[in-house]
């Protein structure tokens, strides 16, 4: 029974159900290592609307999952257009489920970080550890504490340790969060997964600006130095102790109508900090206003709220002084026209072409305004986006997509998920995109795994757009 050191991805396809079943049967007869998905597997699937994917650790597991898939396909001819199981079995009929459509990369920020984030990535994916080690070294040189995203055990916070990070810890790890997005986007490129447009959530908009080519850097050292600027606590947190001055709560459920009334009733004392999804939002405000709002929402609409850990008054009018400090930091960077249409999560419009001043104004808008992620997702779907990829730590934004757009109406997949090893999560991305007809490159993942981590691949500045191509036309 051959057992792989890491999970192995298998892909299969057919012009119709009979051909797919025949292809799966043949897959089970092949040598385990030789049968794994390759770029040739994807090319040979061109034109086949029925597709399947399996992630397995051994030949016995592969055989069991092939049997499971064949049984379901053989007995349920009128079944769903696609399905997937937590164990790693995927099926899609492109004739009914549709193709990949446009793809949007979503870059996470505050709220997505967790202790031990990307620990296994540093150990398993070539190039990650050396980048983070160098980022740690810069943090120490600047005397601001470690920017590393984990304790060296790699799994801090998953085995009983607290999952809550203090505001100071979250700020110190902003550079690591941003670097995670840069490295994951580079990895996705090698896997044949790219985006048509992008959006950042909170601080994730900085990652989107960097990955989208709006903030320029020339080499690895300059990139890491750029990222480390955002790990200084005084940049984000004000000198006075505001922990007793403000509180915040999560609002869940059918709250839309009641929430509007509450915000009007407590105007000036209460702010909508994050409008995350159809059924989730976060309120921020003065303690008495928060308590009264929670009571009113529960009394009049039966809505249960939940107290959240403290964070700075980011995305509210109370953050004006710090927003000015952030504006000074951003103005010192090399800002250029980007090469990926980038949607502002607060203005709900795309970043402009050219004019550094206008780009900086749009980038600075979010610090004192509500993150309107719920509305931004709706805007992206109107632009033709049918596939969303969360590029960074955690899977919080993926859940917001599912809640807002609807399960089955769009693909929402994360590149990092707590409790799932990195290789398996990237194989999930490959399988999901393969089901929808995307020309993914499984060989790119094997290349990443085979390279020595002592010889990391360089990360390159996103290519500049063709000067003759109008980005404005691309957004229309």
């Amino acid at each position: 029974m051959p057992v792989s050191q890491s999970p192995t991805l298998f892909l299969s396809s057919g012009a119709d159900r009979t051909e797919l079943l025949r292809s799966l049967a043949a897959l089970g007869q092949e040598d385990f290592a030789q049968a794994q998905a390759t770029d040739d597997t994807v090319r040979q699937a061109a034109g086949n609307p029925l597709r399947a994917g399996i992630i397995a650790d051994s030949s016995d597991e592969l055989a069991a999952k092939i049997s499971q898939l064949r049984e379901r396909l053989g007995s349920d001819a009128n079944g769903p257009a696609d399905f997937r199981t937590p164990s790693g079995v995927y099926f899609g009929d492109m004739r009914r489920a549709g193709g990949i459509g446009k793809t949007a990369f979503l870059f996470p920020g505050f709220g997505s970080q967790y202790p031990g984030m990307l620990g296994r990535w540093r150990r398993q994916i070539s190039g990650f550890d050396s980048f983070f080690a160098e980022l740690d070294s810069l943090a120490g040189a600047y005397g601001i504490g470690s920017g590393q995203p984990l304790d060296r055990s790699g799994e801090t916070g998953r085995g009983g340790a607290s999952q809550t990070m203090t505001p100071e810890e979250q700020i110190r790890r902003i550079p690591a969060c941003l670097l995670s997005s840069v490295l994951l986007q580079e990895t996705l490129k090698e896997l044949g997964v790219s985006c048509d447009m992008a959006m950042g959530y909170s601080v994730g908009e900085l990652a989107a600006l960097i990955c989208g080519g709006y903030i320029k850097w020339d080499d690895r050292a300059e990139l890491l130095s750029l990222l480390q600027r955002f790990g200084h606590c005084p940049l984000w947190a004000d000198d006075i102790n505001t922990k007793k001055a403000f509180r915040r709560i999560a609002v869940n459920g059918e709250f839309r109508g009641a929430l509007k009334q509450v915000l009007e009733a407590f105007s000036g004392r209460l702010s909508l900090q994050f409008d995350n999804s159809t059924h989730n939002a976060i309120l921020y405000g003065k303690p008495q206003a928060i308590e009264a709002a929670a009571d009113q929402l529960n009394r009049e609409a039966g809505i249960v709220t939940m107290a959240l850990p403290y964070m700075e008054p980011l995305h509210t009018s109370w953050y004006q002084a710090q927003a000015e400090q952030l504006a000074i930091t951003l103005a010192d960077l090399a800002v250029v026209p980007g090469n990926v249409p980038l949607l502002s999560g607060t203005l709900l419009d795309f970043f402009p072409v050219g004019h550094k001043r206008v780009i900086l104004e749009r980038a600075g808008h979010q610090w004192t305004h509500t993150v309107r992620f719920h509305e931004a997702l709706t805007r992206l779907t109107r632009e033709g986006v049918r596939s969303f990829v969360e590029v960074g730590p955690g899977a919080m934004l993926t859940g917001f997509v599912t809640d807002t757009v609807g399960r089955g109406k769009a693909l929402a997949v994360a590149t990092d998920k707590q409790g799932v090893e990195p290789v398996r999560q990237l194989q999930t991305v490959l399988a999901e995109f393969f089901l929808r007809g995307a020309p993914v490159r499984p060989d790119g993942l094997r290349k990443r795994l085979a390279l020595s981590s002592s010889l990391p691949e360089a990360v390159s500045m996103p290519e500049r757009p063709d000067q003759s191509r109008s980005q404005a036309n691309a957004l229309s």
Side-chain angles (χ1 to χ4, degrees), residues 52-76:
I54 294 174
I55 300 174
D57 293 309
S58 67
S59 56
D60 285 351
E61 183 182 356
L62 174 61
K65 289 181 175 179
I66 288 176
S67 177
Q68 175 188 351
L69 189 52
R70 294 186 67 199
E71 180 178 353
R72 181 162 181 178
L73 292 175
S75 63
D76 193 5

Side-chain angles (χ1 to χ4, degrees), residues 323-358:
E324 293 172 2
Q325 293 298 315
L326 285 162
I328 293 172
T329 299
L330 287 172
D332 192 41
L333 303 177
V335 175
V336 296
N339 57 22
V340 175
L342 174 59
L343 183 67
S344 165
T346 54
L347 288 166
L348 304 183
D349 199 2
F350 288 91
F351 274 70
V353 175
H355 303 298
K356 175 179 178 178
R357 179 184 59 79
V358 180

Side-chain angles (χ1 to χ4, degrees), residues 27-61:
L27 182 66
Q29 301 301 315
E30 295 183 50
D31 175 78
F32 182 80
Q34 294 298 317
Q36 65 182 309
T38 66
D39 291 1
D40 283 339
T41 309
V42 177
R43 283 190 287 268
Q44 292 165 8
N48 288 341
L50 271 68
R51 302 187 170 209
I54 294 174
I55 300 174
D57 293 309
S58 67
S59 56
D60 285 351
E61 183 182 356

Side-chain angles (χ1 to χ4, degrees), residues 110-111 113 165-174 310:
F110 281 129
Q113 300 164 311
M165 297 172 68
T166 67
E168 293 78 12
E169 288 173 331
Q170 291 196 48
I171 291 171
R172 285 199 302 271
R173 284 163 175 78
I174 287 175
Y310 173 81

Side-chain angles (χ1 to χ4, degrees), residues 103-105 107 185 194-199 208-214 336-343 350-353 462-465 469 471 474-475:
T103 297
F105 281 0
F107 294 91
Q185 177 176 261
S194 59
C195 68
D196 298 286
M197 51 194 72
M199 178 173 64
L209 288 165
I210 294 168
C211 292
Y214 292 82
V336 296
N339 57 22
V340 175
L342 174 59
L343 183 67
F350 288 91
F351 274 70
V353 175
E463 296 179 1
R464 301 263 32 91
R469 177 176 64 87
Q471 186 181 14
L475 299 181

Side-chain angles (χ1 to χ4, degrees), residues 114-116 155-166 169 309 418:
Y114 59 89
E155 294 304 320
T156 303
R158 291 185 187 170
S162 172
Q163 294 291 306
T164 301
M165 297 172 68
T166 67
E169 288 173 331
Q418 279 187 270

